[in-house]
Amino acid sequence: MKYSTRIEKIKGREIIDSRGNPTVEAEVTLACGATGRAAVPSGASTGMFEAYELRDGDSARFGGKGVRKAVEHVNGVIAQELTGRNAANQMQIDRLLCGLDPSENKSKIGANAMLAVSLACAKAAAKACGLPLFRYLGGCHAHVLPVPMMNILNGGAHAGNNVDIQEFMIMPTGAPTFPEAVRWGCEIFHTLGKILKSRGLSTSVGDEGGYAPNLPDDEDAIKVILEAVEQAGFVPGDDVKIAIDAASSEWFSDGEYLLPKKQTRMTTDELCSYWKDLCARYPIISIEDPLAEDDWEGFQKITRSLGDKVQLVGDDLFVTNVKRLRKGIELGAGNAILVKVNQIGTLSETMAAIDMAHRAGMTSIISHRSGETEDSTIADLAVAVGAGQIKTGAPSRSDRVAKYNRLLRIADMIPSSGVYLGDGAFTNLRLGQTKGTLGE
Ligand SMILES: C=C(OP(=O)(O)O)C(=O)O
Ligand SMILES: [Mg+2]
């Protein structure tokens, strides 16, 4: 084959993630000598409809050697299938990867094995073309830097404290540029640390780098964050808004919600009222997984009642999967999608989900996982697709900081210094959307 982007070699290896758990990394070498390397993240509050990750602890299937098995698949069956193929033909690469696994959820080969190679091919091809990844994936129009959703207070499955809501995030929507947004976020994070310390509360951090204090009530997290915003010199609701990830699939069992730490029980209707009340009292712009992954009716209800004001994000609900997203669009369940590359397992399928969401008038947020590595592909992806929002934790752990720093470098590469999708843009989020069309 004559392509200089012809795949010469694929090498998989086991590395560790930010929780010290093993994960998969792949390195792709092309005929022209360009190489691409990608590492796969891993969730803790994983949705049950996510693509299957072969991981350790997966003893039922591979004697506790899940990640090792995924690496074997990279070096074996995947390398055999893709060697000699054109890495610049991403769709073909991803189709071939999917073709190796007849299962619905990629459980034979492992979504982690596939994703490592899928992303590494894109990175190698970008290098062969002499382009930064965001430019290779997004073309000449890629120019929008995302608003950071900085998760500065952790709870739920990401922290050992008594807070049930998984993530409390600040969005510096009033910042004029991306670097300013990061600076504001860092200053608020530091101020929050000082306030917590002055009250004798813990300043140790959770999986995504946010503080993880014990608090009398989850609502107190919002109160103390707003205090930090003000003390840092910003105006809550004006300069900085609040976003929440409830991760409420973790609470759902037998038709009701049981918040495990505070032992509070709620029905779907009560939970919807709880969110409505919180949004009326605080500058909350976004709630992720306000209802559980199969509570479609609950999602419809909350979208009808809050969807014109608040971004209602499907993470476990959509799992970056066009089939589930299509259902959500048709039902009017949610008005935004959280995008996690390892929920679906290939780059093309990820981009198809983002495209479907955007054409239906939904917003998208590119997201890390709670278990991360230094790989910063999602920063490039956010700019490439013009997502406008990125969720990548607090500025206290280098696995999260890697994404912010990559975006700061990308901001420097965009001659206009990047259009920052700040507050004005939020009025264009089409939050009024309650029932969409696929735009096809
Ligand atoms: C990032 C998240 O957590 P995890 O990676 O644990 O699913 C999330 O729920 O949005
Ligand atoms: Mg989530």
Side-chain angles (χ1 to χ4, degrees):
M1 196 197 261
K2 57 184 183 298
Y3 301 114
S4 62
T5 48
R6 179 183 177 279
I7 297 172
E8 288 267 283
K9 194 173 162 207
I10 296 179
K11 161 101 181 102
R13 70 171 65 85
E14 187 177 312
I15 61 167
I16 52 168
D17 71 13
S18 55
R19 283 191 275 252
N21 291 330
T23 189
V24 187
E25 172 174 278
E27 230 161 59
V28 168
T29 307
L30 307 184
C32 63
T35 60
R37 189 172 66 210
V40 178
S42 181
S45 60
T46 44
M48 68 175 160
F49 301 104
E50 294 193 18
Y52 198 91
E53 178 192 13
L54 289 179
R55 65 189 301 180
D56 286 40
D58 203 356
S59 51
R61 302 187 76 239
F62 292 112
K65 301 285 186 289
V67 168
R68 212 158 292 164
K69 197 75 201 167
V71 170
E72 268 173 36
H73 290 160
V74 172
N75 291 326
V77 63
I78 292 179
Q80 269 162 32
E81 182 74 1
L82 295 190
T83 303
R85 303 285 184 171
N86 181 4
N89 192 343
Q90 187 72 44
M91 283 212 179
Q92 187 197 42
I93 295 290
D94 292 342
R95 238 178 258 143
L96 289 167
L97 283 169
C98 292
L100 289 171
D101 193 331
S103 69
E104 177 72 16
N105 64 352
K106 302 185 171 77
S107 56
K108 182 170 168 232
I109 301 292
N112 45 350
M114 286 192 198
L115 182 68
V117 176
S118 176
L119 296 179
C121 281
K123 289 168 123 179
K127 239 188 238 167
C129 297
L131 293 171
L133 185 62
F134 80 92
R135 183 67 68 215
Y136 171 76
L137 295 177
C140 60
H141 188 64
H143 66 286
V144 177
L145 272 292
V147 181
M149 270 185 175
M150 246 184 211
N151 178 7
I152 62 172
L153 203 146
N154 294 187
H158 293 170
N161 60 357
N162 70 347
V163 174
D164 280 298
I165 291 176
Q166 183 177 278
E167 301 173 22
F168 294 88
M169 297 168 277
I170 45 169
M171 296 186 74
T173 53
T177 63
F178 179 78
E180 277 295 280
V182 171
R183 184 176 68 79
W184 291 17
C186 292
E187 287 175 10
I188 294 163
F189 180 68
H190 297 149
T191 309
L192 178 60
K194 282 182 200 142
I195 295 174
L196 294 174
K197 197 169 172 207
S198 73
R199 293 183 190 165
L201 293 167
S202 164
T203 52
S204 62
V205 299
D207 286 358
E208 298 188 349
Y211 299 114
N214 284 325
L215 295 170
D217 191 286
D218 281 17
E219 192 177 327
D220 293 320
I222 302 177
K223 289 182 188 158
V224 72
I225 287 172
L226 292 178
E227 258 184 85
V229 169
E230 275 184 329
Q231 267 192 37
F234 305 102
V235 182
D238 203 354
D239 295 326
V240 178
K241 294 184 174 68
I242 302 286
I244 284 172
D245 179 6
S248 72
S249 304
E250 300 285 313
W251 305 342
F252 195 70
S253 81
D254 293 335
E256 67 168 4
Y257 292 86
L258 170 62
L259 284 58
K261 295 181 179 178
K262 300 267 169 42
Q263 287 289 304
T264 315
R265 281 179 198 278
M266 283 193 247
T267 63
T268 293
D269 283 346
E270 284 165 348
L271 191 51
C272 286
S273 302
Y274 175 71
W275 297 129
K276 198 169 179 184
D277 173 59
L278 270 191
C279 289
R281 291 185 293 117
Y282 300 104
I284 296 169
I285 193 177
S286 182
I287 309 178
E288 182 182 326
D289 286 347
L291 285 306
E293 57 206 338
D294 247 351
D295 193 351
W296 291 98
E297 266 184 43
F299 249 100
Q300 283 178 293
K301 268 186 201 158
I302 198 161
T303 307
R304 278 196 298 273
S305 74
L306 271 182
D308 59 338
K309 299 180 213 62
V310 178
Q311 182 171 254
L312 299 164
V313 187
D315 169 12
D316 294 348
L317 183 75
F318 296 140
V319 289
T320 318
N321 181 321
V322 290
K323 285 189 191 154
R324 291 186 65 85
L325 176 62
R326 184 183 290 267
K327 179 170 174 180
I329 291 166
E330 285 167 358
L331 291 176
N335 58 21
I337 182 171
L338 197 82
V339 176
K340 292 168 166 170
V341 281
N342 79 323
Q343 277 182 332
I344 191 67
T346 67
L347 181 58
S348 310
E349 290 169 290
T350 304
M351 292 178 91
I354 298 166
D355 188 44
M356 180 183 277
H358 288 181
R359 280 186 292 124
M362 281 192 175
T363 48
S364 64
I365 302 137
I366 310 301
S367 174
H368 64 165
R369 297 307 305 244
S370 50
E372 267 294 334
T373 69
E374 70 276 25
D375 188 298
S376 60
T377 307
I378 60 165
D380 285 74
L381 181 64
V383 179
V385 300
Q389 298 171 82
I390 191 165
K391 181 172 109 153
T392 191
S396 67
R397 301 181 60 130
S398 46
D399 39 299
R400 319 290 146 178
V401 168
K403 282 68 162 174
Y404 290 121
N405 284 345
R406 173 65 185 159
L407 283 163
L408 290 167
R409 293 181 196 113
I410 293 175
D412 262 353
M413 280 183 245
I414 296 177
S416 62
S417 86
V419 175
Y420 173 65
L421 194 71
D423 204 31
F426 273 95
T427 58
N428 296 327
L429 285 185
R430 282 180 266 178
L431 294 177
Q433 180 95 12
T434 53
K435 191 168 162 110
T437 60
L438 293 170
E440 291 169 334

